[in-house]
Amino acid sequence: MTLPEQEPSQADDAARAGWLYYVAGMTQDQIARELGVSRQRAQRLVSRAMADGLVHVRIEHPIAACLELEQALTDRFGLTRARVAPGLGQGADAVRAIAPSAAQELERFLAMPDPLVIALGTGRALRGMVDAMTTLDAPQHRLVSMIGNIAPDGSASFFDVIMRIADKVRAPHYPMPMPVISSTREEFAAFTALGPIRQVRQLAERADVIFVGVGQMGDDAPLLADGFITRAELASLQKRGAVGEVAGWVFDAEGRYLESPEETRLGGVRIDPRLSRPAIGVAAGPSKVPAIHAALKAGILNGVVTDESSARAILARG
């Protein structure tokens, strides 16, 4: 069955709160923390779920299946966050399906009063997330890029989001003005030795929250499509078992990085596995499932925003 396209709504929030209360057995205080709202609002959402007829033996709302998938992903991979958006049907753009949910998740952190450093990767999914956001003031936070923003020809990377989010969120922001992949180790060392770049990288390394896209490493790999690696380099990585990449760092089906920090030319800040801080991947679509699965399995990511079909495929991989 094809679910209708829809933006997150009050009914979505009420359904989610109702599921957490009646099925997951959470208290209203726990629901408030989970949804990033006040206890009073959590109470109203639970009441609305009942009043609107969403709660019977099950929640009469399309998002109920998504909530079950979220719980299954959380249990399987020990996640801190999981958001599963209703799919838009076969052949639909997966980014359109997940962008509103990803935006809502990022806005949850931006609404927090205590200052946070929020690191952002690049790519179509994150650009979609930023485009789906509402304009808000969050001067208490700092937004920093996880990856360089210079393409091989010297132009700005098309899917860099740190400048784009600056138009939506009034907060200090820190781009990383260096190549996504330097031509040589010497060039990489020269860039990273510069004081401003070193400070930006250090800020990204200690970020409180991370949002990144997840790239596939098939013949349609974003690193190839965007000109950051050659087809011969892609073939070499595929021979070594590459299935995905996060912030340019390539990993295999077990989530093992194929390159060490000592030999890298990558401008991206590497996400160490099993971080205690949220590291949330925003990705969906059949070609990305192996990469998402590997990143979750290895703990490169401890949170995910994806769609229904992708979530089912990830869980089916064991």
Side-chain angles (χ1 to χ4, degrees):
M1 181 180 71
T2 300
L3 295 173
E5 182 176 350
Q6 55 186 349
E7 297 287 325
S9 65
Q10 290 284 336
D12 293 330
D13 291 338
R16 188 176 297 277
W19 192 90
L20 293 172
Y21 185 80
Y22 291 102
V23 180
M26 287 189 179
T27 66
Q28 291 176 359
D29 285 332
Q30 290 172 322
I31 294 169
R33 286 193 295 271
E34 176 71 12
L35 299 183
V37 299
S38 68
R39 187 183 186 281
Q40 290 76 16
R41 176 159 174 74
Q43 184 178 23
R44 288 195 297 271
L45 288 170
V46 172
S47 297
R48 176 171 177 170
M50 179 62 74
D52 286 0
L54 302 181
V55 178
H56 299 282
V57 177
R58 58 179 181 170
I59 297 176
E60 296 292 346
H61 191 278
I63 207 170
C66 297
L67 292 166
E68 292 171 359
L69 289 168
E70 289 174 4
Q71 191 63 54
L73 287 168
T74 299
D75 293 343
R76 174 75 59 83
F77 298 106
L79 304 183
T80 60
R81 300 290 297 179
R83 295 292 299 271
V84 176
L88 301 182
Q90 189 173 5
D93 183 2
V95 171
R96 288 182 59 208
I98 64 174
S101 294
Q104 199 172 43
E105 186 68 8
L106 176 55
E107 288 168 0
R108 185 177 72 87
F109 288 102
L110 290 169
M112 293 179 180
D114 293 334
L116 296 172
V117 175
I118 301 174
L120 299 163
T122 61
R124 287 187 66 245
L126 262 67
R127 181 167 174 168
M129 173 185 75
V130 171
D131 288 346
M133 290 175 61
T134 58
T135 300
L136 50 88
D137 289 318
Q140 71 274 30
H141 303 310
R142 288 180 288 176
L143 309 175
V144 61
S145 180
M146 282 286 292
I147 190 168
N149 64 356
I150 300 176
D153 63 358
S155 63
S157 178
F158 184 71
F159 290 114
D160 183 57
V161 302
I162 201 71
M163 301 305 294
R164 201 173 188 88
I165 200 173
D167 295 331
K168 291 284 187 84
V169 181
R170 296 178 183 89
H173 56 283
Y174 301 82
M176 192 179 293
M178 67 177 292
V180 175
I181 303 177
S182 296
S183 299
T184 64
R185 274 289 298 171
E186 291 72 23
E187 181 181 274
F188 173 82
F191 272 105
T192 54
L194 296 173
I197 292 177
R198 185 170 63 250
Q199 291 173 25
V200 170
R201 291 178 67 83
Q202 289 171 348
L203 187 64
E205 287 169 354
R206 65 174 188 268
D208 300 296
V209 185
I210 298 168
F211 282 84
V212 288
V214 180
Q216 68 274 23
M217 291 300 291
D219 292 340
D220 59 344
L223 288 177
L224 175 67
D226 295 337
F228 298 125
I229 61 174
T230 65
R231 187 162 292 281
E233 288 171 327
L234 174 62
S236 175
L237 288 166
Q238 289 172 336
K239 275 189 175 182
R240 295 170 62 192
V243 300
E245 56 89 8
V246 168
W249 287 85
V250 179
F251 49 85
D252 65 14
E254 298 300 317
R256 295 177 296 229
Y257 287 121
L258 300 186
E259 194 169 276
S260 71
E262 293 74 26
E263 64 184 357
T264 191
R265 297 179 286 118
L266 297 169
V269 172
R270 188 169 103 155
I271 301 175
D272 291 327
R274 311 296 176 190
L275 287 178
S276 59
R277 302 159 282 156
I280 300 168
V282 180
S287 66
K288 293 186 180 289
V289 165
I292 301 169
H293 178 268
L296 295 177
K297 180 179 179 180
I300 294 171
L301 303 174
N302 56 32
V304 67
V305 180
T306 191
D307 66 4
E308 280 184 276
S309 60
S310 299
R312 294 185 193 282
I314 291 164
L315 291 165
R317 295 180 73 88

